[in-house]
Amino acid sequence: MKIVVLDGYTLNPGDLSWNGLKKFGDVIVYDRTPTDKIVERAIGAEIVYTNKTPLDKVVLEQLDSLKFIGVLATGYNVVDTKAAKEHGIVVTNIPGYGTDSVAQLAFALLLELCHHVQHHSNSVMQGKWSQSVDFCYWDYALTELAGKTMGIIGFGNIGGKVADIATAFGMNIIGNSQPETDQSHRKNFRWASIPQLLEQSDVVSIHCPLFPETKGLINKDSLKLMKSSAFLLNTSRGPIIVDEDLAEALNNGTIAGAGIDVLSVEPPSADNPLFSAKNCIITPHIAWATKEARTRLMDIAVNNLDAFMNGNPVNVVNK
């Protein structure tokens, strides 16, 4: 059996092993695959894995041997799942592997916005503290989270974990999600519409999937609903935010700051307006990438294939 991994580098830059897949057949791993090489590399394969390499209808129609697509991520919009189903191809994803890591980075971004730890450390190393006439100083307003309100858009596993951490900081929680799940165990929680959530939250953290209805959800109009003192976090999908509108909101003081791990185009163009926006912290889509999370991802990918081979596929997204 021929197994092809089209873009394996980000999952496994060398610190993990592909041996789990090798028990099922001959595995060929490409670090990256340009779009004009997809068919050439995947032809004849019964199993194909992709992370961000697109598998659209035109490509799938040329892969007669293909029976299984494993998406090496939770989001699966890179695959035309309808076309795959029409061709009898099972498509699976990897849910739940990055819950703890993504929630952790959301708070790393938030705490940096609250305290500007790196900036203050840099200023100390540059001699500012040594030259200070006072025993302490700060260059930005410092923010305490206790008693403030965290608004979470998308209340799945990751949103719930973010709520757990926010609760530990003494925050109140507003959630928005479809469907509204039972959160009766949370005494500091309530559901709200997105406009209400934006208006009432001190921190807004995005954890919803990217669908047509969520693309551009955070835009010029929705940003105007937020408090001028509020922070915006996005560790979900870049196109949920209109980059230009967020940059304008930050520069105009419509909101106080943003911490984002994803952008509308990745990798971004060098002139992305957020690169010069005020009080904007950007990390290069690393929330998912702790070794622990990637190890879980690899294990689930292997388990998905094992279940498929045994006639009981799991995590199927195109039933």
Side-chain angles (χ1 to χ4, degrees):
M1 178 180 294
K2 181 179 178 181
I3 302 170
V4 174
V5 181
L6 292 171
D7 50 0
Y9 183 80
T10 51
L11 168 58
N12 181 15
D15 56 351
L16 302 179
S17 170
W18 297 105
N19 286 340
L21 294 179
K22 290 179 180 178
K23 65 183 180 182
F24 299 103
D26 297 322
V27 179
I28 304 171
V29 179
Y30 297 99
D31 285 347
R32 304 162 191 87
T33 295
T35 54
D36 61 351
K37 296 287 186 181
I38 296 172
V39 173
E40 174 186 326
R41 291 180 175 181
I43 200 156
E46 295 174 76
I47 310 296
V48 166
Y49 282 94
T50 180
N51 191 327
K52 296 294 181 287
T53 303
L55 296 172
D56 59 23
K57 182 177 182 179
V58 174
V59 168
L60 295 177
E61 287 174 346
Q62 300 176 71
L63 303 178
D64 296 336
S65 302
L66 189 56
K67 294 180 173 57
F68 175 94
I69 296 171
V71 180
L72 297 171
T74 302
Y76 50 88
N77 55 300
V78 296
V79 179
D80 186 330
T81 53
K82 181 180 178 182
K85 185 174 182 179
E86 290 172 354
H87 288 81
I89 303 167
V90 171
V91 182
T92 66
N93 73 335
I94 315 286
Y97 75 93
T99 298
D100 291 327
S101 290
V102 175
Q104 178 176 299
L105 183 69
F107 272 86
L109 294 169
L110 177 55
L111 292 173
E112 181 67 14
L113 288 168
C114 289
H115 293 281
H116 292 273
V117 173
Q118 188 62 62
H119 165 81
H120 285 105
S121 176
N122 289 344
S123 73
V124 169
M125 302 306 180
Q126 292 162 3
K128 187 171 181 177
W129 198 9
S130 299
Q131 299 163 10
S132 175
V133 296
D134 299 309
F135 74 94
C136 69
Y137 66 90
W138 53 92
D139 295 339
Y140 290 86
L142 306 178
T143 302
E144 181 178 275
L145 293 176
K148 292 189 168 57
T149 297
M150 166 79 81
I152 300 173
I153 300 176
F155 218 86
N157 291 334
I158 296 173
K161 177 60 70 170
V162 169
D164 292 342
I165 300 172
T167 298
F169 275 97
M171 301 183 76
N172 298 307
I173 312 297
I174 301 175
N176 179 275
S177 191
Q178 296 298 328
E180 294 183 355
T181 54
D182 180 18
Q183 301 297 323
S184 58
H185 61 288
R186 301 183 189 277
K187 305 309 178 187
N188 58 338
F189 177 89
R190 59 190 170 86
W191 293 109
S193 67
I194 287 179
Q196 291 171 332
L197 183 151
L198 294 173
E199 289 172 351
Q200 298 169 19
S201 297
D202 299 295
V203 180
V204 174
S205 195
I206 299 172
H207 300 287
C208 59
L210 176 61
F211 291 129
E213 58 268 29
T214 59
K215 184 176 182 180
L217 178 68
I218 303 300
N219 54 48
K220 183 175 297 191
D221 293 331
S222 57
L223 285 161
K224 289 178 181 177
L225 299 175
M226 294 177 64
K227 298 179 181 181
S228 60
S229 58
F231 295 140
L232 176 67
L233 310 174
N234 187 12
T235 53
S236 180
R237 290 291 182 267
I240 293 171
I241 294 177
V242 179
D243 292 349
E244 295 82 1
D245 292 354
L246 176 56
E248 182 179 348
L250 290 166
N251 291 331
N252 293 342
T254 303
I255 65 171
I260 53 181
D261 185 50
V262 287
L263 291 171
S264 57
V265 177
E266 297 175 349
S269 62
D271 60 352
N272 187 295
L274 287 170
F275 292 169
S276 56
K278 294 179 180 178
N279 207 18
C280 185
I281 300 168
I282 304 173
T283 50
H285 204 145
I286 58 172
W288 71 287
T290 63
K291 186 173 183 181
E292 293 83 356
R294 289 185 293 108
T295 298
R296 285 191 293 271
L297 194 161
M298 182 73 82
D299 290 343
I300 296 170
V302 172
N303 290 338
N304 282 352
L305 181 53
D306 186 52
F308 170 76
M309 296 296 291
N310 286 310
N312 298 296
V314 296
N315 298 321
V316 178
V317 297
N318 67 332
K319 294 180 180 178

